[in-house]
Amino acid sequence: MAPDLDLTERDRAMLDGTHGDAASLAMRIVTKSAEIAGATHLLDITSAHIDGCLFHGMAGLDFARRLRDAEAQVAVPSTLNVSALDLLHPELVRLDATTSAMAREQMDAYLAMGCRPTWTCAPYQSPERPSFGDQIAWAESNAIVFANSVLGARTERYGDFIDVCCAITGRAPAVGLHLDEHRGARVVFRVEGVPDRLLADPVAHAAIGLIVGREAGALVPAVVGLPTAPTTSEDHLKAMCAAAASSGSVALIHVIGVTPEAPTLEAAIGEGSVASEVRVGPADLRAARDAWSTVGVGAAIGAVSVGTPHMSVAGFERLASLADGRRFAVPFYVNTGRDVLRVAEGAGTAAVAMAAGATMVTDTCTYITPVIAHGVGPVVTDSAKWAWYAPSNLGVEVAIASLEECIRSAVEGGLVRDDALWGSDG
Amino acid sequence: MIDLTGRTLAAGVGRGEALTLQEPLSFWGGFDGVTGTVSDTHHPQQGVCLSGRVVFMRRGRGSSSSPSVLAEAIHVGTAPAAIVLTEIDAMIALGALVAAELYGVEMPVVVLAPGSTSEIEDGVPVTVDATKVVAVVEADPRGTRR
């Protein structure tokens, strides 16, 4: 134990095994993480979001088994991230029986620990989400940025293993974004000259997010020049957060005039100074779109995948209004959380999308488990995060497009670009 | 001999040929744990094998699923021999810590002291001794090259 980590009596009792083997293992991992990060103490958390339920090898399952067998229980409300299976539509996932059984066992182990079966990468779409100022331990890179930026809750970048250890102990190292002094913006992105119509479409925010992540790395960025709410909605911010956490390690974005800790640029910077400024114009958005797309306009496509991170209730409304009366010529996948799907079913929006030919995928996502046919042609997506990971996870070609372009492309069976939306370099 | 010092994030001893990653890497979605190679299509070193190498990298990136991908690679033997970071990255250290807890297999993770440069050519034999709080990274530029 590092001499400079000050533990409470209860922390020590957990570490010593007084609260059982599971709490002891969890506290060992939490204190080791605290030492690594240079924390002086731990703090109480009010919720956890756990990524460790996704099966991708024995280590994750063996860790879950070890905790389950030691009768671990989470000490705070804990939501679960996507899994490798779709429990509502099991026929969609083409995993072999052995892998499926292991994936299921890993999911069940987390349920046995008292976690909620949310199976979503967008836990912030739940009505019971954290509030401003709450100290939380969230995993899932997009959810981390969203919680810090949009909710104003406070979480470091948690990941597999440490997430559930924080949940079991109810404690997290008091470092990084848990603390005021690390939440100030250090690099400023000025969005200039982007037409209103493009800025009203979340695909613009996905492209901005890719640029922010690439340029900011692990620094806290501020973005200046975006319209205020409701034009910039939570779906716009979701797209930006997920993109920045894919191309970089961004965990907090201050959107000036939009997110709660950024009424002004000065407020977002706080005590400190900005290292650099980056200007972002319409040509940069087109360049980002094209840099992370592997096919261009007119290319025949094999499928469309939207809803990464998971489609929201508002996203379903947009999807339904754009897809109403259309008929898709290629498979069109909508990734969403089971709780959101229930609402969208009640609202009739899911039915409109399905009438056009959309397939609902819940509890998982099309880029982490085999849903899309192997060897399929290019996949069009409205998600920068999907476009970032799918080529390496699935070996597919991709194109980033607005939701409307996705729908038109699905109808045509080829990549459609709306030049009036994006503008041109000529 | 080049001697660098750093801080031990995950304990162990590792030996292998140096390999410097030019860009941060997300192990989930960026590393194939079966072959031990970089699979990130955006990474300049896509296809390069990390197994058994002493990997010098600035930090990880992106996904929070990286710890279990790394832990599994350590478990099956496709992981690097050691990872030497220039920025603290708890996600990478966690993968190694949990592999040690679960399987008793150690892969040292070290963060170099601020200001230390890691200008060690690829292929140079390196030993990482992270058995104490202060870790020692020893490279022999005249050693056998691949």
Side-chain angles (χ1 to χ4, degrees), chain A residues 124-126 129 146 150-151 202 229-241 258 312 314:
Chain A
Y124 44 81
Q125 290 169 355
S126 161
R129 64 192 192 175
F146 195 96
V150 184
L151 305 184
T231 307
T232 299
S233 72
E234 291 198 357
D235 279 347
H236 294 82
L237 296 168
K238 176 184 86 165
M240 184 189 298
C241 289
V258 178
S312 67

Side-chain angles (χ1 to χ4, degrees), chain A residues 10-212:
Chain A
R10 191 163 169 279
D11 293 336
R12 271 202 207 87
M14 277 195 216
L15 201 54
D16 294 347
T18 312
H19 295 254
D21 288 347
S24 175
L25 169 61
M27 187 52 93
R28 198 154 64 240
I29 302 279
V30 171
T31 51
K32 277 185 178 173
S33 298
E35 287 173 37
I36 287 167
T40 58
H41 64 287
L42 308 180
L43 46 76
D44 285 334
I45 54 163
T46 56
S47 85
H49 180 64
I50 294 170
D51 195 29
C53 53
L54 171 60
F55 178 81
H56 35 76
M58 288 310 294
L61 176 56
D62 285 340
F63 191 72
R65 282 173 171 164
R66 175 118 164 232
L67 290 172
R68 177 200 64 199
D69 293 349
E71 296 179 344
Q73 284 294 309
V74 293
V76 294
S78 301
T79 46
L80 289 169
N81 205 33
V82 288
S83 72
L85 303 177
D86 182 339
L87 299 182
L88 300 185
H89 317 96
E91 69 285 357
L92 290 178
V93 177
R94 301 183 321 276
L95 283 176
D96 63 74
T98 313
T99 309
S100 290
M102 290 193 289
R104 186 60 193 264
E105 185 187 350
Q106 191 163 332
M107 296 166 76
D108 288 342
Y110 281 94
L111 294 181
M113 292 179 225
C115 303
R116 293 178 47 209
T118 47
W119 314 125
T120 183
C121 56
Y124 44 81
Q125 290 169 355
S126 161
E128 295 152 50
R129 64 192 192 175
S131 304
F132 185 84
D134 285 357
Q135 297 286 2
I136 60 175
W138 274 26
E140 168 54 52
S141 62
N142 99 84
I144 293 164
V145 202
F146 195 96
N148 275 317
S149 311
V150 184
L151 305 184
R154 295 176 169 221
T155 181
E156 257 297 288
R157 288 174 58 228
Y158 293 98
D160 291 350
F161 310 131
I162 182 69
D163 48 12
V164 69
C165 292
C166 290
I168 291 166
T169 57
R171 305 280 280 167
V175 290
L177 296 175
H178 287 294
L179 309 175
D180 285 341
E181 58 262 39
H182 300 295
R183 295 179 69 87
R186 294 294 171 264
V187 48
V188 174
F189 294 82
R190 289 192 184 275
V191 178
E192 294 175 340
V194 179
D196 288 350
R197 188 181 154 218
L198 181 52
L199 273 191
D201 196 303
V203 75
H205 300 70
I208 294 167
L210 284 172
I211 297 167
V212 167

Side-chain angles (χ1 to χ4, degrees), chain A residues 25 28 35-36 51 56 58-59 62 66 140 157-160 162 217 245-246 248-249 292 368 388-389 392-393, chain B residues 7 9 28-29 39 41-42 59-65 67-69 72 88 91 93-94 97-98 101-103:
Chain A
L25 169 61
R28 198 154 64 240
E35 287 173 37
I36 287 167
D51 195 29
H56 35 76
M58 288 310 294
D62 285 340
R66 175 118 164 232
E140 168 54 52
R157 288 174 58 228
Y158 293 98
D160 291 350
I162 182 69
S246 301
S249 291
W292 280 284
I368 59 177
W388 179 281
Y389 287 110
S392 127
N393 284 4
Chain B
R7 183 156 74 88
L9 302 185
W28 185 84
S39 59
T41 54
H42 311 285
R59 55 173 168 78
R61 205 202 68 241
S63 175
S64 56
S65 290
S68 53
V69 173
E72 179 63 4
I88 292 173
M91 298 267 203
L94 262 170
L97 290 174
V98 170
E101 280 276 355
L102 288 177
Y103 307 115

Side-chain angles (χ1 to χ4, degrees), chain B residues 21 24 34-36 44 54 56 61 79 81 89-90 92 98 108 110-112 118 121 124 129-130 135:
Chain B
L21 287 179
V34 175
T35 59
V54 172
F56 291 82
R61 205 202 68 241
D89 189 315
I92 288 183
V98 170
V110 167
V111 61
L112 289 177
S118 59
E121 262 185 77
V124 168
D129 182 349

